[in-house]
Amino acid sequence: MCKKMISRFFPVVTVVLVASCLQGCGLFGKKGSASEKDNRRGEVTGVAKRVGWQQNLPIDMVAVKAGTFWMGQADEDIAITQSAFNKQITISEFYMDKYEVSNNKYRQFVEAVRLGEYSYSTPTTLKDPPQFNLNEVLPDTTVWNTSFSYHYGDPLMEFYFDHPAFDNYPVVGVSWEQANMYCQWRTYHMNANDKSNFEMPPFRLPSEAEWEYAAKGGKDVAKYPWGGPYLKNKRGCLMANFKPGRGNYIDDGFSYTAPVDVYAPNGFGLYNMAGNVSEWVLDDYSEVGSALTWDLDPVYKKEGESRKVVRGGSWKDIAHYLETSTRTYEYQDVKTAHIGFRTTMTFIGRSGSMEVNNNRRRQR
């Protein structure tokens, strides 16, 4: 009985298998790979294997969707700087670090330079690795003494960058130039170790407009990153790490900096966009920069300008500097105990879509 059934179904199975093979060869109306049949007829169908790619979202970054907002003064200009006039602009999609760059993440950069190893195996990029000197990338730990007069900063000078107790605290003592070196290293580190067919866009400092748009957390006008005009929440707790009163540094819970993941994130999921450490951004500083730049993805760059914009306020600043519209600057080679940074990446997908792939991309 079984032999009869097998003999009855064998021809059917054979036909199915043959049909599958013929379809795989492009017969029965199926196209060959890369539309070979169309190409052989002189049609243009594009280069093969260039579809289906989505930009990967790097670890500890958030996707900030495009939007239009009013950049500039969100409250009274108490310093009378007249440098933050209101202007409606549009920002394209980008990725931004969820946290300020920590001591431990910056230390990975330092160790890579120390060892001269930027990839963990055969690099998956054809680009040459960046060249750095160890001394030029090390943070200046003496800033805990030199930034302040008559201040006992010896313990922090000795332990802040090197001790594991401060691994999750924001790196300080880095210049604008060093922040850009970190971005160059992180770009190569990503592309040299990621098994993707195509390279990711470079990491970079955010433009001033991107930073302010991200700090407002999706709100069109917001005095502080949490949106409201108040510095405390309903329970009476301060919303950021700053100096709430003369000689008072501890009421927010920390005398100096705080871990990069404390306090509540803003509407985009970004931490410490106000207080903790001020942050370097990409732009050169100009009092009239807003009037000189375009209203789509503006960035102000002037050859020879050594003043760079600093945003967000820090652990040693009063509340005015925490406002999303307050603009200050520092010289690009200056290192202090209150300035750090975070990185961004341009999103290169279709405008307005932000199709983010949180998983690993296709392997080579």
Side-chain angles (χ1 to χ4, degrees), residues 119-193:
S119 62
Y120 289 98
S121 58
T122 303
T124 54
T125 176
L126 299 178
K127 295 181 180 179
D128 294 329
Q131 299 297 317
F132 302 115
N133 179 283
L134 179 60
N135 290 329
E136 70 181 1
V137 303
L138 286 172
D140 184 1
T141 59
T142 66
V143 294
W144 292 106
N145 273 334
T146 58
S147 295
F148 315 105
S149 300
Y150 304 106
H151 166 251
Y152 182 58
D154 290 4
L156 290 171
M157 185 175 70
E158 181 178 356
F159 295 112
Y160 186 78
F161 181 68
D162 293 320
H163 199 279
F166 294 100
D167 275 356
N168 202 36
Y169 284 64
V171 66
V172 297
V174 291
S175 65
W176 182 87
E177 297 163 334
Q178 289 175 307
N180 280 279
M181 292 177 191
Y182 175 91
C183 293
Q184 294 174 42
W185 164 78
R186 189 178 180 188
T187 299
Y188 186 85
H189 176 73
M190 169 68 78
N191 290 324
N193 295 296

Side-chain angles (χ1 to χ4, degrees), residues 147-148 172 276-279 313-317 336-340:
S147 295
F148 315 105
V172 297
N276 211 24
V277 291
S278 300
E279 299 177 13
S314 74
W315 60 269
K316 74 168 193 63
D317 292 321
T336 74
H338 64 277
I339 300 179

Side-chain angles (χ1 to χ4, degrees), residues 13 41 44 59 83 85 148 173 189 198 235 269 285 335 358:
V13 174
R41 289 198 297 264
V44 177
I59 190 172
S83 64
F85 292 112
F148 315 105
H189 176 73
F198 303 100
R235 295 174 295 176
Y285 180 80
K335 305 172 186 180
N358 290 300

Side-chain angles (χ1 to χ4, degrees), residues 291-355:
L292 298 174
T293 53
W294 201 28
D295 54 3
L296 172 61
D297 295 326
V299 59
Y300 178 78
K301 302 296 291 182
K302 180 181 179 182
E303 185 176 357
E305 178 58 73
S306 59
R307 297 178 300 171
K308 307 300 178 182
V309 176
V310 175
R311 286 301 207 109
S314 74
W315 60 269
K316 74 168 193 63
D317 292 321
I318 60 174
H320 168 68
Y321 293 98
L322 273 61
E323 296 180 16
T324 56
S325 60
T326 299
R327 306 178 68 232
T328 58
Y329 70 88
E330 190 52 87
Y331 291 94
Q332 64 184 39
D333 59 347
V334 168
K335 305 172 186 180
T336 74
H338 64 277
I339 300 179
F341 68 100
R342 72 179 76 211
T343 67
T344 57
M345 174 188 285
T346 300
F347 179 74
I348 57 175
R350 181 172 62 85
S351 178
S353 66
M354 186 59 82
E355 296 175 351

Side-chain angles (χ1 to χ4, degrees), residues 267-283:
F268 285 142
L270 300 167
Y271 290 75
N272 290 303
M273 293 299 286
N276 211 24
V277 291
S278 300
E279 299 177 13
W280 293 112
V281 298
L282 190 62
D283 296 54

